[in-house]
């Protein structure tokens, strides 16, 4: 018979497994020339019009145990809004590594390459789940505040999530997501939304992965409740997509 502790651990493990996003339509692959290894983007082309030049490239940052393919639905919606593949990029990375020591620096290199390839002064970042911590660290501590215009978090464990304790003993990414971790404490010390970057979060009151649900909203951000959606459902939800796209246009 399982002890109470074993039952709790099994439940937490099941919740964390739900962080693995469902397979969504694949996107164009192949990193920009000279991009860091492990990244994926749409084809890089020169911007062809003044309208395109006035719009920031969008860099997507996926969540734990996921990959760039999770952005298929939102990419399609942005293309329908007029974005070209050359304006949409997805950062692919090993989610089991350290947010502050490894991943934020790799994201910085990727954003620098996107800016070099497109000629854009700034980018917009859209992150899901664990990717919110990676991109926030880049903005707050990695120099990204000078190069990011808008930052979006979908179901991000911005104040930590207790489900991450299920794998924290052996996985650095999970440790970084636990409440009170070095990463979480430093990101939320002082100003949670520093600089001139515009911040937005989207969160669900039925999120089975982010616990508590109100871990997502940040002081100083445009915080939008999306209703009762599961963690990964925010990636393909039409009203959430509409909210993200409206924020990117703002």
């Amino acid at each position: 018979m399982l002890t109470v502790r074993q039952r709790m651990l099994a439940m937490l493990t099941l919740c964390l497994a739900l962080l693995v996003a469902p397979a969504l339509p694949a996107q164009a692959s192949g990193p920009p020339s000279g991009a860091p290894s492990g990244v994926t983007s749409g084809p890089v082309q020169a911007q062809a019009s003044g309208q395109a030049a006035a719009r920031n490239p969008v860099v997507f940052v996926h969540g734990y145990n996921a990959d760039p393919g999770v952005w298929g639905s939102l990419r399609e919606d942005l293309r329908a809004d007029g974005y070209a593949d050359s304006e949409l990029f997805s950062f692919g990375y090993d989610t089991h590594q350290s947010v502050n020591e490894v991943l934020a620096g790799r994201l910085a290199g990727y954003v620098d390459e996107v800016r070099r390839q497109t000629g854009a002064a700034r980018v917009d970042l859209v992150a899901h789940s664990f990717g919110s911590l990676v991109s926030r660290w880049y903005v707050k501590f990695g120099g990204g505040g000078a190069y990011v215009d808008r930052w979006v978090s979908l179901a991000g464990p911005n104040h930590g999530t207790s489900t991450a304790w299920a794998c924290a003993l052996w996985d650095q990414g999970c440790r970084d997501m636990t409440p009170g971790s070095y990463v979480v404490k430093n990101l939320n010390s002082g100003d949670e939304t520093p600089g001139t970057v515009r911040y937005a979060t989207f969160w669900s009151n039925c999120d089975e992965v982010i616990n508590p649900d109100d871990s997502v909203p940040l002081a100083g951000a445009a915080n939008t409740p999306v209703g009762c959606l599961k963690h990964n459902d925010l990636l393909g939800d039409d009203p959430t997509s509409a909210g993200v796209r409206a924020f990117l246009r703002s």
Side-chain angles (χ1 to χ4, degrees), residues 151-156 158 193 199-203 216-218 221-226 247:
W151 176 89
V152 179
S153 171
L154 304 178
N158 291 314
T193 51
Y199 297 83
T201 74
F202 294 80
W203 62 282
V216 183
L218 293 170
N223 300 302
T224 302
V226 298
F247 180 73

Side-chain angles (χ1 to χ4, degrees), residues 16-230:
L16 195 67
L18 294 170
L19 281 164
V20 182
L24 295 176
Q27 60 198 43
S29 62
S33 175
S37 60
V39 297
T40 307
S41 78
V44 178
Q45 301 170 354
Q47 292 172 327
S49 70
Q51 180 182 4
R55 185 166 53 209
N56 296 323
V58 177
V59 176
F60 299 106
V61 186
H62 63 72
Y64 184 77
N65 267 357
D67 60 53
V70 302
W71 296 111
S73 179
L74 187 51
R75 286 176 63 96
E76 286 297 328
D77 289 346
L78 286 170
R79 280 196 287 262
D81 278 358
Y83 281 80
D85 280 329
S86 57
E87 298 172 285
L88 302 174
F89 299 84
S90 294
F91 175 59
Y93 63 102
D94 180 355
T95 61
H96 307 292
Q97 296 182 312
S98 168
V99 166
N100 58 306
E101 295 179 339
V102 179
L103 298 178
R106 292 184 179 172
L107 176 59
Y110 186 82
V111 169
D112 286 348
E113 179 61 19
V114 168
R115 291 175 54 247
R116 187 188 71 80
Q117 292 279 349
T118 62
R122 292 184 172 229
V123 304
D124 294 333
L125 294 179
V126 179
H128 178 243
S129 194
F130 179 63
S132 302
L133 300 185
V134 176
S135 53
R136 279 185 73 198
W137 194 278
Y138 162 59
V139 170
K140 187 167 185 176
F141 300 115
Y147 306 118
V148 175
D149 191 3
R150 301 172 187 84
W151 176 89
V152 179
S153 171
L154 304 178
N158 291 314
H159 295 94
T161 176
S162 62
T163 59
W165 286 114
C167 56
L169 286 178
W170 61 85
D171 187 282
Q172 183 60 51
C174 289
R175 284 193 289 276
D176 288 346
M177 287 189 284
T178 58
S181 72
Y182 176 87
V183 167
V184 168
K185 284 193 297 185
N186 279 275
L187 285 174
N188 297 310
S189 64
D191 191 352
E192 292 186 348
T193 51
T196 60
V197 178
R198 287 173 280 179
Y199 297 83
T201 74
F202 294 80
W203 62 282
S204 166
N205 60 1
C206 296
D207 195 321
E208 78 284 14
V209 171
I210 303 304
N211 184 31
D213 296 330
D214 62 4
S215 174
V216 183
L218 293 170
N223 300 302
T224 302
V226 298
C228 185
L229 293 177
K230 291 186 177 181

